[in-house]
Amino acid sequence: MKHIIPPTAEKKPVNLEKHGDIRVDDYYWLNERENPEVIDYLERENAYYDQMTAHTNDFKEALFKEMKGRIKEDDESVPYKYNGYWYITKYEEGKDYPIYIRKKDGEGAEEEVMFDCNEMAEGYSYFNLRGINISPDNKLAAFGVDTLSRRKYTIRIKNLETGEIYPATIENTTAGSTWANDNKTLFYTRKDPQTLRSDKVYKHVLGTDVTEDELVYHEEDETFSAFVYKTKSRKYIVFGSGSTLTSEYSILDADSPDDELKVFQPRERGLEYNIAHYEDSFYVITNADKATNFKLMKTPVEKTTKENWEEVIPHRENVLLEDIDIFMDYLVVSERSNGLNKIKVKPWDGSDEYFIPFDNETYTAFPSTNLEFDTNTLRYVYNSLTTPASTIDFNMVTKEKVVKKEQEVLGGKFDKDNYTSERVWAKAADGTMIPISMVYKKGIKKNGKNPLLLYGYGSYGATIDPYFSSVRLSLLDRGFIYAIAHIRGGEYLGRNWYENGKLMTKKNTFTDFVDCSKFLVEGNYTSEEHLYAMGGSAGGLLMGAVINIAPELYNGVIAAVPFVDVVTTMLDESIPLTTSEYDEWGNPNNKEYYHYIKSYSPYDNVETKEYPNLFVTTGLHDSQVQYWEPAKWVAKLRNVKKGDNQLLFHINMDAGHGGASGRFEALKEVAEEYAFLLDLEGIQE
């Protein structure tokens, strides 16, 4: 095979000065999205990727077909009931997009198609419909559409009786909206056109011009984002605003949409709370009074400020209170202890509370769509690394479970008894024990020869739960071990787990991942020649940091839409999300944060050394992590890295942060990632 020369990007040094410190950025110019030179460079990278991976094209196609073959094409969701109708999402064979259907409760009711996204997507390379919101009289549906993948949605209103879509178009929204109880007043959230921060809530009245819509809430603090929803009791419209560390809500009687908003509890820095309405009280999940793992309070509807809050469930050191679901006769509490989900049922009448029993060493379980208030049925979803997702209806009176649906794995080869999952604990450098969930085919020997893919995220308190994936079987069936490192920065072991992996403790996230990797090598699950790592977005930052710290540990690394130019991005307040992230990373306008972030920012710490084989992906229209971050990082790595290890960069020129929009298109991207890993292992089929 003749040597293919990788593309290079021209160096155009720019001096970036802050706090008397100068960073020279040779590739700053790559942020000019409209510049033909930039597009040319990205297209050359794509051409290089195509050439370097041409020998795996048939394999990619076979992997795609194999993964697609496990998925039921003509599928539909378990119907859920809301306000006298059953709602269903359907997929049809050979079609990429969902069809949203409903039918009246009762025998012999006919299905009505509300939205066929296959028809609506014609002519667009990207299409996403979301935020379907039905009016209280069931006659109208508001919905949001994005055809660019910039997460800017246009809201329209459809008359479900006549099929007419009204002419009003509300641009630049989050897609979310909420009807007042009068069936004509619609509240919705708009985004700042440049930063994409949702900062304004407007009121639209049916039949009026959108230009006359009234601004009812404006969030001026650029570290906060606004949203609006209706309580499950349908009595209140709630206007929320939150930053990483602080929340504030205002409420409005849903029967009186023209009244003034009433602030529930004014914001206090560091005070987080969520509210749910029941009868004459609001229930409040909050971290008030140093309740790090949150506690549950209640307060009268007419006296909502925190001096009126009374304790219902106290704060617990070892249990994270995650959420509640309120029913007429029950309070359902979702919590997490020792990393595992627990669902507790508490009858309002004071009779015995109990946990729903789960039996597995590592699993994921959470309440699903529970929109009906007056019901004894709790719907929840259960799965594990070896068990496909099941939607279960649980009778809270009789404690009977009915499995409404278990995800089908087609192809006739899958048997969950052929796989095993376990949870192990790695010791971090500071003595902290870090949990790792893993799954592999039974019969694997710990001889250091198994390929192992270690996945990590570790930011924003987001927990990567051990979930089932039919797609992942393509790795497991070829001998891979798949593992998730539950590193600090997530919330797997409670709120403190998050607090110890952000701001000035952010580096714990990276060193935890490295320590998990070393543990897996030392335990002979794998070896440096067969260990792979993967993360996306903030998990891509993790990948970039880890290969700067310990490149020798990995044979290959996948960094998807990676956030790798942390200092420059966090200093640019015009970029979407920057200001709202100061509480996660720190504000580098502050000298102490500047130097700490700079000490781990992957782009700023690229060195002249050998790096593992790397596969980097991005989307040109990504609104969360701008394409130029991975582009600059790859260009710099190409310039300074030693050795012959691969550096592949694939840019989706049509899509944004979430990748392709078609139902199976995303599988093509997974097939590319898997082909990269399997090729490095010498596995060709």
Side-chain angles (χ1 to χ4, degrees):
M1 172 172 157
K2 77 176 191 359
H3 185 62
I4 301 165
I5 297 168
T8 52
E10 192 181 337
K11 285 186 180 183
K12 302 182 183 181
V14 172
N15 285 357
L16 302 172
E17 185 172 349
K18 192 79 186 175
H19 307 299
D21 179 57
I22 295 175
R23 292 178 304 132
V24 180
D25 189 342
D26 288 329
Y27 304 104
Y28 189 81
W29 65 278
L30 286 173
N31 69 2
E32 299 164 20
R33 194 192 313 266
E34 309 299 324
N35 181 342
E37 277 185 77
V38 172
I39 299 299
D40 174 65
Y41 168 64
L42 298 178
E43 286 176 342
R44 282 187 290 126
E45 282 286 0
N46 272 347
Y48 177 71
Y49 168 80
D50 290 341
Q51 284 180 289
M52 291 295 288
T53 61
H55 65 288
T56 65
N57 283 352
D58 290 347
F59 190 25
K60 282 184 221 167
E61 182 62 23
L63 283 167
F64 168 71
K65 285 184 174 154
E66 174 180 299
M67 292 187 275
K68 185 180 174 191
R70 295 192 196 101
I71 297 170
K72 193 172 181 201
E73 284 203 50
D74 51 338
D75 203 3
E76 61 181 62
S77 63
V78 180
Y80 66 82
K81 192 176 173 194
Y82 180 67
N83 201 18
Y85 278 82
W86 291 93
Y87 287 87
I88 305 156
T89 305
K90 260 193 185 175
Y91 286 94
E92 291 183 351
E93 198 158 336
K95 294 187 178 175
D96 258 336
Y97 294 98
I99 303 167
Y100 295 101
I101 288 168
R102 69 174 186 174
K103 58 181 178 184
K104 265 206 170 95
D105 189 27
E107 284 298 306
E110 286 197 14
E111 290 188 346
E112 307 169 29
V113 174
M114 298 189 297
F115 300 101
D116 184 339
C117 296
N118 299 289
E119 292 174 6
M120 296 170 76
E122 279 176 22
Y124 296 107
S125 63
Y126 179 92
F127 182 85
N128 189 0
L129 181 146
R130 61 182 281 190
I132 297 174
N133 168 31
I134 309 291
S135 60
D137 63 5
N138 290 316
K139 293 179 180 176
L140 302 171
F143 62 99
V145 168
D146 171 17
T147 54
L148 252 192
S149 189
R150 284 286 285 169
R151 300 192 183 184
K152 290 186 194 178
Y153 292 83
T154 299
I155 290 177
R156 307 285 306 268
I157 296 165
K158 180 172 184 175
N159 183 319
L160 295 173
E161 293 186 319
T162 66
E164 181 193 356
I165 293 182
Y166 294 152
T169 56
I170 306 172
E171 304 281 353
N172 204 21
T173 75
T174 61
S177 64
T178 302
W179 291 100
N181 290 343
D182 63 2
N183 299 298
K184 66 175 189 186
T185 306
L186 185 74
F187 294 91
Y188 63 89
T189 315
R190 269 220 164 112
K191 294 184 167 193
D192 177 288
Q194 175 152 27
T195 65
L196 302 188
R197 178 173 73 90
S198 47
D199 60 346
K200 296 185 178 85
V201 181
Y202 284 88
K203 177 168 68 179
H204 175 71
V205 178
L206 223 56
T208 64
D209 197 297
V210 172
T211 56
E212 295 165 19
D213 288 1
E214 181 188 340
L215 176 66
V216 287
Y217 183 87
H218 182 196
E219 179 48 74
E220 295 184 3
D221 185 328
E222 55 190 23
T223 66
F224 282 71
S225 295
F227 50 92
V228 60
Y229 66 93
K230 192 186 275 185
T231 58
K232 186 170 167 177
S233 63
R234 306 177 199 171
K235 294 258 185 7
Y236 291 93
I237 292 168
V238 181
F239 300 80
S241 191
S243 70
T244 309
L245 295 176
T246 308
S247 38
E248 180 179 73
Y249 293 89
S250 300
I251 53 176
L252 179 67
D253 186 320
D255 290 328
S256 309
D258 296 326
D259 284 3
E260 289 288 306
L261 274 53
K262 176 192 162 198
V263 177
F264 189 93
Q265 157 62 38
R267 69 187 64 180
E268 294 174 14
R269 179 154 172 85
L271 175 67
E272 296 176 64
Y273 68 95
N274 275 320
I275 61 175
H277 172 248
Y278 176 66
E279 293 187 343
D280 54 1
S281 302
F282 276 99
Y283 283 76
V284 185
I285 298 176
T286 181
N287 68 346
D289 314 312
K290 300 198 170 99
T292 314
N293 275 333
F294 295 85
K295 59 184 176 179
L296 185 64
M297 314 287 276
K298 71 183 274 198
T299 193
V301 160
E302 62 285 348
K303 290 195 211 153
T304 58
T305 48
K306 72 174 188 186
E307 64 273 12
N308 302 296
W309 298 357
E310 291 172 22
E311 193 167 84
V312 179
I313 299 175
H315 174 253
R316 293 156 294 171
E317 280 301 317
N318 297 322
V319 181
L320 177 68
L321 174 59
E322 292 196 312
D323 204 1
I324 59 169
D325 280 275
I326 287 181
F327 296 88
M328 189 181 281
D329 297 326
Y330 299 92
L331 171 66
V332 175
V333 181
S334 299
E335 49 191 51
R336 184 187 290 272
S337 70
N338 197 28
L340 299 177
N341 307 116
K342 305 279 172 69
I343 302 175
K344 184 193 282 179
V345 179
K346 288 170 74 86
W348 290 118
D349 66 11
S351 52
D352 287 349
E353 57 185 60
Y354 58 90
F355 286 103
I356 297 177
F358 301 120
D359 49 345
N360 206 314
E361 183 177 21
T362 175
Y363 63 85
T364 301
F366 51 89
S368 174
T369 309
N370 289 288
L371 299 178
E372 288 290 284
F373 190 60
D374 181 10
T375 176
N376 292 324
T377 302
L378 169 74
R379 177 167 292 174
Y380 69 89
V381 173
Y382 174 89
N383 70 76
S384 74
L385 288 165
T386 56
T387 313
S390 299
T391 301
I392 295 164
D393 279 359
F394 178 81
N395 185 311
M396 293 183 277
V397 180
T398 65
K399 301 185 186 174
E400 286 176 272
K401 290 181 192 179
V402 178
V403 177
K404 300 299 285 185
K405 179 177 182 177
E406 180 173 289
Q407 173 191 348
E408 283 183 65
V409 181
L410 303 185
K413 293 179 184 169
F414 174 72
D415 178 349
K416 56 185 161 195
D417 293 331
N418 291 340
Y419 305 87
T420 188
S421 65
E422 63 175 315
R423 186 168 66 161
V424 295
W425 299 76
K427 194 175 200 169
D430 64 2
T432 306
M433 300 305 288
I434 314 296
I436 305 170
S437 297
M438 62 169 92
V439 61
Y440 46 85
K441 219 168 169 183
K442 280 186 181 163
I444 271 181
K445 295 183 175 62
K446 290 189 201 171
N447 58 10
K449 293 179 181 169
N450 306 303
L452 187 150
L453 177 60
L454 183 63
Y455 183 87
Y457 187 73
S459 288
Y460 308 109
T463 298
I464 306 297
D465 277 311
Y467 64 96
F468 182 80
S469 158
S470 72
V471 170
R472 192 190 295 138
L473 296 171
S474 291
L475 287 182
L476 301 183
D477 289 348
R478 289 174 174 84
F480 262 78
I481 297 172
Y482 180 86
I484 302 165
H486 302 293
I487 48 188
R488 282 174 283 187
E491 242 169 31
Y492 186 79
L493 289 177
R495 183 68 178 202
N496 277 326
W497 205 243
Y498 172 37
E499 299 291 343
N500 289 318
K502 67 183 235 216
L503 298 175
M504 298 300 282
T505 56
K506 187 67 221 170
K507 287 185 189 175
N508 284 340
T509 305
F510 316 136
T511 54
D512 282 359
F513 192 89
V514 170
D515 290 332
C516 287
S517 303
K518 288 176 177 169
F519 169 86
L520 293 166
V521 170
E522 285 158 14
N524 274 332
Y525 287 95
T526 188
S527 60
E528 287 96 340
E529 295 79 35
H530 300 287
L531 178 58
Y532 301 90
M534 178 172 178
S537 199
L541 160 63
L542 171 68
M543 295 299 107
V546 159
I547 63 170
N548 281 334
I549 297 167
E552 70 288 345
L553 270 176
Y554 309 95
N555 187 33
V557 171
I558 297 172
V561 293
F563 174 39
V564 281
D565 189 12
V566 190
V567 182
T568 309
T569 290
M570 292 308 294
L571 283 169
D572 185 349
E573 292 171 17
S574 72
I575 292 178
L577 305 181
T578 291
T579 51
S580 61
E581 310 245 317
Y582 288 155
D583 290 332
E584 177 73 28
W585 314 104
N587 181 350
N589 291 300
N590 165 321
K591 191 172 181 178
E592 187 186 20
Y593 283 126
Y594 171 86
H595 286 290
Y596 187 74
I597 295 170
K598 184 185 168 190
S599 73
Y600 68 71
S601 169
Y603 182 61
D604 292 293
N605 289 283
V606 168
E607 294 174 336
T608 304
K609 61 184 177 190
E610 283 204 36
Y611 283 94
N613 293 289
L614 268 174
F615 181 32
V616 183
T617 62
T618 190
L620 183 62
H621 299 288
D622 196 322
S623 60
Q624 312 298 107
V625 176
Q626 308 294 331
Y627 74 88
W628 60 77
E629 293 199 32
K632 287 165 58 173
W633 184 49
V634 167
K636 189 172 181 181
L637 281 164
R638 284 224 185 282
N639 188 43
V640 304
K641 80 175 188 73
K642 291 164 120 179
D644 296 328
N645 280 345
Q646 293 179 34
L647 173 51
L648 302 175
F649 184 29
H650 196 206
I651 306 99
N652 184 327
M653 301 301 271
D654 293 323
H657 196 66
S661 67
R663 185 183 180 198
F664 297 113
E665 284 303 302
L667 288 183
K668 292 183 177 163
E669 294 169 4
V670 180
E672 289 178 353
E673 293 164 353
Y674 284 10
F676 169 74
L677 298 171
L678 292 161
D679 188 45
L680 288 173
E681 276 296 307
I683 298 169
Q684 306 287 344
E685 56 184 61

